[in-house]
Amino acid sequence: MHQSKILAQWSRLGQWPFGPWLFSKLMGVAVPYAASIDARVELLAAGHARVRLHDRRAVRNHLRSIHAAALAHLAEMTANLALSTRQPDDARWIVTGMETHLLKKARGPIRAETTLPAVDWSQAQELVGHVTLHDAHNDIVMTATQRWKIGTVVA
């Protein structure tokens, strides 16, 4: 079975003490907007991603909780990472929509997690994924549904 490029990079860096931190920083270089929330990738496997956002002033709103936009960005980043682990070299995807539901104020570290099934990339299609964001008490603070258009690269 073919391993995606992003999963191969995670596997290489993950064996080093600061590998997950470095991987997260390199994501911010590759996708500059991802650097804006300074999230940390904790786990990456085929179709699965877990990313943590630390509560700090830069991501807070006027209510001293984490801003909804930062949470939505965390959800998008997590979903896109999970999808990227399933992506073959001759495929591509683009986000076409996202829906979020805030369930409570987000304070403290937030953990976003998603699992996506195996994907048939040979046919252009819409794919839907779900992300759940939990606080330190394991309470759900947000759920997100993301949509992508996926398919093979057309020459």
Side-chain angles (χ1 to χ4, degrees):
M1 177 182 225
H2 173 74
Q3 187 179 46
S4 71
K5 290 178 183 178
I6 199 155
L7 205 48
Q9 291 170 345
W10 172 259
S11 297
R12 271 193 305 275
L13 290 173
Q15 57 190 316
W16 299 98
F18 293 101
W21 174 85
L22 180 59
F23 181 88
S24 299
K25 289 296 184 182
L26 290 172
M27 273 201 48
V29 172
V31 184
Y33 190 69
S36 68
I37 61 170
D38 198 28
R40 298 288 185 259
V41 179
E42 292 186 334
L43 184 137
L44 204 54
H48 187 81
R50 184 174 65 223
V51 183
R52 183 170 305 273
L53 176 66
H54 292 284
D55 188 348
R56 60 190 204 293
R57 189 175 191 284
V59 295
R60 285 188 157 224
N61 60 25
H62 64 289
L63 301 172
R64 293 185 316 242
S65 61
I66 299 176
H67 198 285
L71 295 171
H73 183 63
L74 176 65
E76 179 189 20
M77 179 179 173
T78 304
N80 288 346
L81 274 169
L83 183 61
S84 294
T85 66
R86 297 266 193 213
Q87 180 181 2
D89 292 340
D90 65 342
R92 63 183 175 177
W93 54 265
I94 188 165
V95 175
T96 59
M98 179 182 219
E99 183 177 310
T100 61
H101 294 280
L102 288 164
L103 302 170
K104 68 178 276 191
K105 288 181 183 174
R107 292 194 169 116
I110 303 298
R111 179 185 81 249
E113 197 156 2
T114 190
T115 301
L116 299 174
V119 178
D120 175 11
W121 291 84
S122 66
Q123 299 293 320
Q125 61 183 298
E126 181 181 73
L127 180 67
V128 177
H130 304 281
V131 183
T132 306
L133 286 73
H134 293 87
D135 64 14
H137 302 291
N138 210 32
D139 293 336
I140 298 173
V141 297
M142 177 188 265
T143 60
T145 301
Q146 185 152 314
R147 288 175 173 70
W148 302 271
K149 181 177 178 186
I150 67 165
T152 57
V153 176
V154 180

